[in-house]
Amino acid sequence: MAEFVKAGTTAELASQPAGKVVEAGGASIAVFQVDGSYYAVGNVCPHRGGPLSQGTLSGCEVICPWHGARFDLRTGAVLGPPAREGVKSYPVRVKGGEVEVEVG
C-alpha cells in the first residue's frame, strides 16, 4: 500500500523561492510548486551530488546549482549535461491544503 508523507502546506510551498527538502523513506526528496502544480524528485544530482532543492526553476525544469545539469520535474528525466542520468520522480497529492509525497 502507498505511504504518503507530509511535505508542507500549499501556502508554505507557494512562498518557497526554490524547493523544500523532505527526508522520508531513506531518501532526500525535493518538492517544488510550479504554477499551482506540485512535483517531487530526488534531491541529489547524480552528477556530483548537488542539492536540487536549491536549484533554479525554469518552468517545469530544475537546474542544479553546482554544475547546471537540468532535470524535468514531471518525470525526473535529465534534460541537460553534465548529468547523464535522471533522478527519481515521486507522486504528489494535495489533500485539504496539505502537500504529500508518496514514498512507499
Side-chain angles (χ1 to χ4, degrees):
M1 186 165 130
E3 176 188 352
F4 283 85
V5 296
K6 182 179 175 182
T9 65
T10 55
E12 176 186 3
L13 287 166
S15 68
Q16 295 273 79
K20 178 180 179 181
V21 177
V22 175
E23 302 289 339
S28 180
I29 303 167
V31 183
F32 299 90
Q33 185 274 136
V34 177
D35 296 329
S37 294
Y38 299 88
Y39 306 97
V41 295
N43 187 42
V44 180
C45 178
H47 173 244
R48 297 271 186 197
L52 294 181
S53 61
Q54 296 176 21
T56 303
L57 293 177
S58 177
C60 283
E61 295 180 15
V62 63
I63 303 164
C64 180
W66 287 6
H67 300 108
R70 301 171 77 93
F71 302 90
D72 187 321
L73 291 175
R74 297 166 292 199
T75 64
V78 65
L79 300 173
R84 294 183 182 171
E85 61 187 68
V87 291
K88 183 173 180 175
S89 174
Y90 295 85
V92 177
R93 71 181 182 191
V94 178
K95 290 180 71 177
E98 296 201 355
V99 179
E100 300 176 331
V101 177
E102 183 179 343
V103 295

